Amino acid sequence: MKKTATAFTTERRHLLEIIDGLIEGIILLDNNRHIAWANDTALAMHGAADLAGLGGTAAGYRKAYTLRYRNNRKLDAAQYPMDRALAGEAFKDMVVEVCSRRDPDFRRMHQVRNLVLNDAQGAVEGMVLVVLDVTERYSAEERFERTFNANPAPAVICSLADLRHVKVNQGFLEMTGYARQDVLDKTVRELDVLGDTPQREDALQRLAEGRTIPQTESCIAVQGGSKLVVVAGQPIEVAEQPCMLFTFNDLEPRRKAETALRHSEQRFATAFRLAPVPMTLSTAEGELLEVNDAFVATTGYDAATLSRDEDALARLWTDPRAYDRAMASLEQGASVRSLEMALRTREGALLDCLLSAAPVKIQDLPCVLGAIQDITERKRNELELMEAIETVMQDTSWFSRTVIEKLAQIRAPGAPQSQGELADLTRREREILGLICDGHTDAEIAATLHLSRNTVRNHVAALYGKLDVHRRSAAIIWARQRGIVGYEKPPRKRAGK
C-alpha cells in the first residue's frame, strides 16, 4: 500500500524529532555545498543559534571556524570535514579542535564521521556529518598528559593490545639515560621494564591479563649499565585503549649509600680490631658487644667471656661507682674524656688506666665506643721522678728560682698555684719557712729559734694549711716562687718603738 503525502510528512517530522534528541550533532549538506539542516545538538556544539551561525555553506563554515589537528596544526580548506565529505571521501573518528573566529574563548574538541545520502536510484543527494563533542574526554587526557610528563617519578605507559610503549615521561628518560625515540613504540621485550625481578614470570602473566603488578625490586637495563629500582604496574585507559602504567622508584642512591656504609663499617671494624690501645664496643645499656685484640692482650678477657660472665665484667672495673657515673654521662649523649680508673686483669693485676668513651651508631643501633689507655708504667715513672725531686729538694739553698719553677712543673704539670700570700703569714711562720728553705729539720729549727719541737711542729702545720701544701718540698717551691731563698733573722725592735 502506498503511503500518502501526509504519512511521509509525519514520518519525516518524527525522524527529525528523534535526530534532534540525539547526543550526537547531525549536519546535512546538499550537493550545492549548502548546510541544509542541523540539529540543536550540532548548533550547540558550535555555539551557533541557527544555520547562519554555522556559516550557511562549506566556505562560510571555514570563515566562521578555524580547525586544528590535535598536534595544533591548522587544517587546509580541503582537509575540513565538510569539504572532505563533499569531495566524496569517506572517513570516521576524525578528531579536530574547533575554534570560533567570532569568539576567541570558544574551543571544542569534535570527533567527526560522515555518511552519504542516496536517492532511490542510488544517486548522491547529499552528505551527513555526525559530530560527537569529546571536549571533556580530551581535556581530561590533556590534564593527565601534563601531570604524567611533569611527574618527577619515572613512568612508562604500555599498550596492552601489542605491548608497545606509547608514552614515557621525563623522569624515566633521566633515570635511564635513554632518548624518547629509544623508548616509544618499543615492545616490552625490546625495552624490558620489568628487569630481573624474581617475580618476573608472575609479572608477565599479570601484564598479559591486564592485572595490577605489585611493587617488586628489580635491576633494569639503562644506558651504559643497570639500575636497582622498585617497579609496579597499574592498568589504566589512555584514549579509550587499555594500557599498563609502569612506575619506578630509583633505589640506586640507597644502594650506593648502603655500599658506602658497608665499606665504612668494614674500615671501622679493621681499625677497631688493629688499634694498639684496648677498645670496647657496647650497647647504650652497657651490654658488651665486642673488644679488640689489644683489649684481650691487656686484660686476658675476650667479649664472649665478659658477655657470658657478669661477675667478670664487674671484676674488671674496681670502682663500679665511677663506671656507673661514666655510663650515666654517656646515656645523656655526653662523651667521657680521660677518666682515671683502675682495671683488674683476668690474672688479678691492677692497671692504672684512662677511660675515654663516646656514643656512636652502628647499623642504626646506639652504642658506646670505649678506649682504654694503660698508664701504669707512666705513673710508676712519675712517682719515682717525684721521689727523686723531693730527695734533691731537701737542700734547695743553691737552686735558682728558675730551676725551682721547672722542678715544680715537672712535679705537677698544669697544677694551679696556691692562692696564699706572704702577707697572710706571721713573723714566726716566715722565719720557719726560711729555715725550711735552708734545709733544716724540725729539731734544727727548734734549736735555732729556741722553741720546743712541738711548738715548731704546730707552726709547720699552720704554715702548711695557709700554703695549701702537704710536704716540705711543696712549701719550698711555694717560697722560692715568692722570692724566699732562706732564713733571714728579723731586725730587733728599737727601744721606745
Side-chain angles (χ1 to χ4, degrees):
M1 185 178 71
K2 293 184 178 180
K3 295 182 180 179
T4 63
T6 303
F8 276 114
T9 302
T10 301
E11 289 179 359
R12 184 173 182 275
R13 179 171 56 81
H14 288 166
L15 179 61
L16 293 177
E17 288 176 355
I18 292 172
I19 293 174
D20 270 338
L22 294 176
I23 62 171
E24 294 178 314
I26 305 297
I27 300 176
L28 300 181
L29 304 170
D30 61 24
N31 289 331
N32 296 321
R33 306 181 69 83
H34 287 85
I35 300 174
W37 180 84
N39 67 352
D40 291 341
T41 304
L43 294 174
M45 285 181 181
H46 288 82
D50 49 30
L51 297 182
L54 290 178
T57 63
Y61 183 88
R62 293 196 303 273
K63 291 180 180 180
Y65 299 96
T66 301
L67 270 58
R68 300 176 186 272
Y69 290 114
R70 290 192 64 195
N71 61 8
N72 206 37
R73 185 170 62 85
K74 278 186 177 182
L75 274 67
D76 296 332
Q79 294 171 327
Y80 272 62
M82 284 188 184
D83 293 271
R84 290 178 64 181
L86 291 170
E89 182 180 347
F91 58 88
K92 63 178 181 178
D93 298 334
M94 177 183 181
V95 179
V96 292
E97 180 186 59
V98 180
C99 299
S100 172
R101 298 182 188 272
R102 299 184 298 270
D103 182 1
D105 295 328
F106 182 86
R107 176 178 174 272
R108 292 287 188 274
M109 296 296 296
H110 291 172
Q111 182 175 297
V112 188
R113 57 189 175 90
N114 71 329
L115 298 172
V116 178
L117 295 180
N118 298 317
D119 60 15
Q121 286 74 39
V124 176
E125 285 188 317
M127 297 292 172
V128 177
L129 292 183
V130 181
V131 185
L132 180 64
D133 192 333
V134 292
T135 303
E136 288 302 319
R137 189 183 83 193
Y138 281 95
S139 295
E141 288 183 5
E142 287 179 2
R143 289 194 297 271
F144 169 78
E145 191 85 17
R146 287 195 298 268
T147 303
F148 176 77
N149 290 326
N151 190 353
V156 172
I157 296 177
C158 167
S159 170
L160 293 179
D162 54 10
L163 298 184
R164 292 184 180 275
H165 302 308
V166 294
K167 291 184 183 297
V168 59
N169 71 353
Q170 189 62 30
F172 183 86
L173 300 178
E174 291 176 357
M175 181 185 75
T176 60
Y178 291 129
R180 195 172 296 273
Q181 61 269 22
D182 297 330
V183 180
L184 294 180
D185 208 35
K186 298 293 190 298
T187 67
V188 170
R189 296 194 179 277
E190 290 173 325
L191 185 71
D192 190 355
V193 294
L194 291 173
D196 61 359
T197 171
Q199 291 77 38
R200 178 177 176 81
E201 292 306 318
D202 178 65
L204 288 172
Q205 183 65 29
R206 287 173 175 270
L207 175 62
E209 297 171 359
R211 293 189 294 137
T212 298
I213 300 173
Q215 287 188 353
T216 179
E217 282 195 17
S218 181
C219 192
I220 65 171
V222 299
Q223 197 76 287
S226 61
K227 190 177 287 286
L228 183 67
V229 299
V230 170
V231 58
Q234 179 63 42
I236 60 171
E237 281 196 358
V238 177
E240 299 183 348
Q241 298 298 316
C243 296
M244 183 68 73
L245 170 64
F246 289 105
T247 56
F248 304 84
N249 183 15
D250 188 354
L251 297 184
E252 199 62 28
R254 189 191 77 178
R255 181 165 70 172
K256 289 181 179 178
E258 289 175 348
T259 301
L261 178 61
R262 186 170 60 254
H263 290 165
S264 175
E265 289 177 348
Q266 289 172 349
R267 290 193 294 269
F268 167 79
T270 302
F272 176 84
R273 181 171 54 83
L274 298 179
V277 298
M279 299 186 73
T280 63
L281 184 66
S282 60
T283 66
E285 293 75 27
E287 179 185 352
L288 195 64
L289 299 174
E290 191 57 79
V291 298
N292 69 346
D293 297 345
F295 183 92
V296 176
T298 301
T299 68
Y301 288 110
D302 56 23
T305 301
L306 292 172
S307 298
R308 184 175 58 250
D309 186 356
E310 293 184 359
D311 291 338
L313 188 59
R315 288 194 301 270
L316 185 66
W317 300 106
T318 60
D319 188 353
R321 289 179 298 178
Y323 181 76
D324 290 342
R325 288 196 299 271
M327 291 303 298
S329 297
L330 291 166
E331 287 176 2
Q332 296 174 359
S335 299
V336 175
R337 295 277 186 176
S338 301
L339 176 64
E340 191 165 337
M341 297 182 69
L343 182 147
R344 182 181 286 107
T345 69
R346 195 170 188 176
E347 300 298 326
L350 288 178
L351 302 179
D352 293 313
C353 299
L354 294 178
L355 172 65
S356 296
V360 295
K361 274 197 173 184
I362 305 294
Q363 294 181 346
D364 291 331
L365 175 68
C367 297
V368 173
L369 179 65
I372 302 168
Q373 183 181 0
D374 183 0
I375 60 171
T376 305
E377 189 65 26
R378 190 185 81 183
K379 290 196 72 173
R380 184 181 297 117
N381 293 337
E382 287 179 353
L383 182 60
E384 292 174 354
L385 177 61
M386 292 305 102
E387 291 176 350
I389 291 174
E390 289 181 4
T391 300
V392 171
M393 291 177 67
Q394 293 299 318
D395 183 10
T396 61
S397 58
W398 52 274
F399 282 124
S400 69
R401 180 174 179 177
T402 302
V403 172
I404 290 294
E405 290 175 352
K406 289 185 177 180
L407 286 173
Q409 286 299 315
I410 293 173
R411 183 180 181 279
Q417 299 295 330
S418 170
Q419 298 302 312
E421 295 296 339
L422 290 174
D424 296 334
L425 306 182
T426 66
R427 188 184 69 171
R428 182 64 75 189
E429 288 168 348
R430 289 282 299 273
E431 289 179 318
I432 291 174
L433 181 59
L435 290 169
I436 290 174
C437 290
D438 286 337
H440 291 294
T441 65
D442 287 356
E444 291 171 340
I445 293 173
T448 300
L449 298 180
H450 307 290
L451 300 172
S452 69
R453 292 184 66 177
N454 286 338
T455 301
V456 171
R457 279 196 293 269
N458 291 337
H459 281 303
V460 171
L463 180 63
Y464 282 2
K466 288 184 178 181
L467 304 187
D468 192 21
V469 298
H470 305 285
R471 298 180 181 179
R472 300 176 84 84
S473 57
I476 293 170
I477 293 173
W478 189 96
R480 292 283 185 175
Q481 289 174 337
R482 287 158 180 77
I484 299 176
V485 295
Y487 172 66
E488 295 180 4
K489 188 174 182 179
R492 290 185 178 180
K493 292 184 179 181
R494 297 173 60 186
K497 296 282 182 151

